[in-house]
Amino acid sequence: MIVKNNIKRKLTSALELPKDVMLGLPAVAMTGDEEIVVTNHRGLLEYSGGCVRLSTVLGGIKIFGTNMVLKEITAESVMIAGKIQSVAWEVK
Amino acid sequence: MFIKVLNFLAGYVKVEVTGFSVERFISQCVSRGLILWDLERQGGKFLMTLSKADFQKARELAEKTSTRVTPLSVHGFPVFAAKIKKRPLLPLGGLAFIIGMVVLTSFIWQIDVEGTERIDATEMLTFLESHGFSVGSSRRGVAYREVEGLLMLEFADIAWVSLSITGTRALIQVNETIDHAPLLRQFDAEDIVASKDGIIVHMATSAGTPLFRPGDVVAKGETIVSGRLAIETAEEGLLATQYIQASAEVWARVYYTMNFSIPLTYSEKSFTGQRSRVYSATVGGQDFTLPSRPHGFAYYQTIENRHNASLGRDLPMPLGVTVTIHHELTRHMRTRTPEAAQELGQELAARRIMEEMGESPDIIEKQINFTQNHRVLEVEVFLVAIERIDQTKELIPEEQDEPETTPEPFAMR
């Protein structure tokens, strides 16, 4: 499995293909400090007005801020609006 | 966005979710393909929105995750449709509105004419009306070329005309022919006459026979430079008379006297704050005043605001509303001191000078005299200004001046 993943990673790099599509890596896009969109998540772990924790293939991703609202949550992406202060990774 | 529109059409539910592990419930929902939006945490409970179709699935998942889903409100088109079902006149009204709009927008409600200078636009519209093209005509079947042709035939001064209809507005764009009158007029003989009484201080004649010189007193209307040229010699006398356009710049010392009075007692108007509104509906150019109570104000000022219905610039409608507001006024008798009256007199004098002589007159002497006469302050303003007083006046050649030669105007200059 690890070997298969390595081949896939090398092939993706060699062909310059998007890694979020090919490897399912999470992509984080921020618009100023008002909105953040996380794609390729694996579910919601924790949600309060000051922190949103999501599960991804790389581990957890923690988004800190104030007055955070989940504008939309689907199987592929989460759109969070509010005052974003920081984003942190919880490496496996 | 597309999903939100679909959800609106299918209907959506705002719910409150409580329980031990709401995050797990959300993750379960998402992994099953449910879409949640506007998810907010308020203390121990979660508020979220989901489609009506997903609501039942969410309830089943709530049981598995030991959470409780409580519907708060239902929104979307099904709710709207249910409301409409109880009020059958509402869709009928909507339908009547749409039909009304379709009918009203099939007529021309405004005709604008652009580009006319010598041609009277009102005359043009009256002419078109007599040929069946006017406000209220149907937009369909307008013979554009025919209307343009009729205008070209009727008005000789039109060089080019175009009719276009956008929405309910018809636009007639006109290009007029060159005005020949000024071209012809420049060959007419002219005198330079005085536009005001005064003493000439300077004059520069470029064409014509000067009849006055600096230092002379001239009266309004007197000829200063004549356009009549007498060609004569001492031996043979008058040989010929030619008539030309006289041209000169004449500067004169002009004397002004203005008299006016300022009353020391006067009435001042002020608004009481009381107002009365009268509404009128305009349909097809006719005003229909709606009944209203008489205002009973002794003194009042009226302000009229007219609002014409229009769907953008190109869709004027034959409907409108006019709001007439009567503001009640009161009058108070006031007195002013002679000093304040003098100050006001100075201001009024300056304003009258500006009205009479323009923004920056060349005034060389100014004197203002005040005389208090009972309750009135008499103001006398005496001014001396240097001004141009030359003015052209058509010269009619004298027939007895024989022999006469036809002038070559440009050759004479």
Side-chain angles (χ1 to χ4, degrees):
Chain A
M1 189 68 180
I2 294 165
V3 177
K4 191 183 171 188
N5 268 349
N6 276 339
I7 293 167
K8 206 172 177 182
R9 190 177 285 274
K10 280 178 185 170
L11 196 66
T12 304
S13 292
L15 297 173
E16 292 183 356
L17 294 169
K19 287 176 181 166
D20 54 334
V21 177
M22 296 306 294
L23 306 173
L25 295 178
V28 181
M30 282 185 75
T31 309
D33 61 349
E34 293 171 5
E35 199 176 86
I36 185 164
V37 179
V38 181
T39 45
N40 289 341
H41 71 93
R42 284 189 166 179
L44 182 72
L45 297 175
E46 184 189 337
Y47 170 47
S48 66
C51 175
V52 177
R53 201 163 137 245
L54 299 164
S55 168
T56 71
V57 287
L58 298 178
I61 178 169
K62 263 187 168 178
I63 298 147
F64 296 97
T66 52
N67 303 323
M68 289 194 294
V69 176
L70 303 189
K71 290 300 286 180
E72 191 176 272
I73 178 162
T74 64
E76 292 82 34
S77 67
V78 187
M79 184 193 284
I80 303 160
K83 186 86 177 161
I84 313 295
Q85 287 166 344
S86 65
V87 180
W89 290 98
E90 294 172 334
V91 184
K92 269 183 183 173
Chain B
M1 183 66 195
F2 181 66
I3 289 171
K4 278 191 177 175
V5 172
L6 281 181
N7 283 333
F8 175 79
L9 292 175
Y12 58 92
V13 191
K14 284 191 173 180
V15 297
E16 180 188 290
V17 185
T18 49
F20 179 67
S21 180
V22 180
E23 284 92 342
R24 193 166 152 251
F25 162 76
I26 294 167
S27 291
Q28 290 277 325
C29 288
V30 168
S31 66
R32 299 282 171 93
L34 275 66
I35 298 171
L36 310 174
W37 67 93
D38 292 341
L39 207 153
E40 200 176 342
R41 182 164 188 168
Q42 284 185 357
K45 63 187 178 187
F46 288 71
L47 302 176
M48 61 189 79
T49 312
L50 67 166
S51 69
K52 246 180 137 179
D54 288 348
F55 177 64
Q56 285 306 324
K57 294 179 197 168
R59 275 197 137 164
E60 288 164 17
L61 286 169
E63 279 175 23
K64 289 178 187 171
T65 53
S66 306
T67 48
R68 186 182 167 84
V69 178
T70 317
L72 297 175
S73 55
V74 187
H75 303 267
F77 184 72
V79 180
F80 179 68
K83 276 183 189 169
I84 281 183
K85 220 174 175 180
K86 292 177 193 167
R87 300 166 69 182
L89 282 177
L90 191 68
L92 282 176
L95 190 68
F97 174 77
I98 292 165
I99 292 169
M101 287 300 292
V102 170
V103 170
L104 285 175
T105 52
S106 61
F107 295 98
I108 293 165
W109 295 118
Q110 189 176 321
I111 303 177
D112 292 331
V113 180
E114 279 181 4
T116 51
E117 281 180 17
R118 300 195 308 279
I119 302 166
D120 185 6
T122 319
E123 195 187 322
M124 192 183 268
L125 294 176
T126 313
F127 169 74
L128 288 176
E129 196 175 349
S130 67
H131 285 78
F133 183 78
S134 62
V135 169
S137 300
S138 172
R139 282 175 56 205
R140 293 196 186 95
V142 172
Y144 291 82
R145 298 288 88 82
E146 196 180 314
V147 172
E148 290 165 359
L150 278 169
L151 287 171
M152 290 287 283
L153 286 173
E154 178 66 17
F155 298 92
D157 285 344
I158 293 178
W160 172 86
V161 63
S162 159
L163 167 69
S164 58
I165 298 172
T166 317
T168 58
R169 177 177 176 252
L171 177 65
I172 300 167
Q173 288 172 298
V174 174
N175 265 7
E176 292 183 354
T177 53
I178 296 167
D179 187 8
H180 299 296
L183 295 172
L184 295 171
R185 208 166 30 244
Q186 73 176 358
F187 297 106
D188 291 344
E190 282 176 346
D191 281 338
I192 297 292
V193 297
S195 61
K196 287 173 183 175
D197 297 344
I199 300 168
I200 298 172
V201 290
H202 168 72
M203 60 187 284
T205 308
S206 53
T209 311
L211 304 177
F212 286 86
R213 61 177 65 182
D216 288 349
V217 176
V218 66
K220 184 180 177 181
E222 273 191 294
T223 305
I224 304 171
V225 180
S226 173
R228 182 177 174 276
L229 287 180
I231 300 165
E232 57 192 355
T233 60
E235 295 81 28
E236 295 174 54
L238 183 69
L239 293 174
T241 306
Q242 291 187 337
Y243 293 94
I244 61 160
Q245 264 189 338
S247 170
E249 279 190 15
V250 183
W251 298 82
R253 188 190 287 258
V254 182
Y255 296 82
Y256 289 93
T257 310
M258 299 174 193
N259 290 292
F260 55 94
S261 55
I262 298 168
L264 298 178
T265 310
Y266 63 101
S267 71
E268 193 179 71
K269 291 186 284 185
S270 65
F271 292 105
T272 62
Q274 294 293 316
R275 66 182 75 170
S276 160
R277 286 169 197 265
V278 179
Y279 294 92
S280 311
T282 310
V283 181
Q286 294 290 316
D287 283 348
F288 299 96
T289 306
L290 303 179
S292 62
R293 282 190 298 177
H295 51 71
F297 301 150
Y299 301 109
Y300 60 91
Q301 188 176 332
T302 303
I303 296 169
E304 192 178 277
N305 293 319
R306 191 173 276 271
H307 308 280
N308 287 322
S310 177
L311 297 172
R313 186 171 158 270
D314 294 325
L315 279 172
M317 292 287 161
L319 306 168
V321 175
T322 304
V323 185
T324 309
I325 308 171
H326 303 292
H327 295 271
E328 193 188 18
L329 296 167
T330 53
R331 287 183 179 179
H332 305 282
M333 289 312 287
R334 304 259 189 240
T335 53
R336 54 168 75 94
T337 60
E339 291 75 28
Q342 281 194 11
E343 209 171 299
L344 181 64
Q346 297 265 14
E347 271 179 39
L348 288 174
R351 206 179 300 162
R352 287 194 177 195
I353 290 166
M354 211 170 78
E355 280 170 13
E356 184 81 27
M357 301 162 72
E359 288 279 331
S360 51
D362 186 7
I363 295 168
I364 55 170
E365 201 180 323
K366 183 166 95 174
Q367 198 179 332
I368 304 176
N369 297 322
F370 299 101
T371 317
Q372 194 174 335
N373 183 9
H374 190 50
R375 303 298 299 161
V376 169
L377 186 79
E378 301 287 351
V379 184
E380 186 186 41
V381 184
F382 177 74
L383 289 172
V384 183
I386 302 289
E387 277 186 59
R388 264 187 81 168
I389 59 160
D390 51 275
Q391 192 179 36
T392 56
K393 188 188 171 190
E394 195 185 346
L395 171 61
I396 299 157
E398 295 167 13
E399 282 178 11
Q400 63 267 32
D401 281 344
E402 292 293 338
E404 190 180 329
T405 56
T406 310
E408 287 292 330
F410 293 116
M412 289 306 297
R413 296 289 173 96

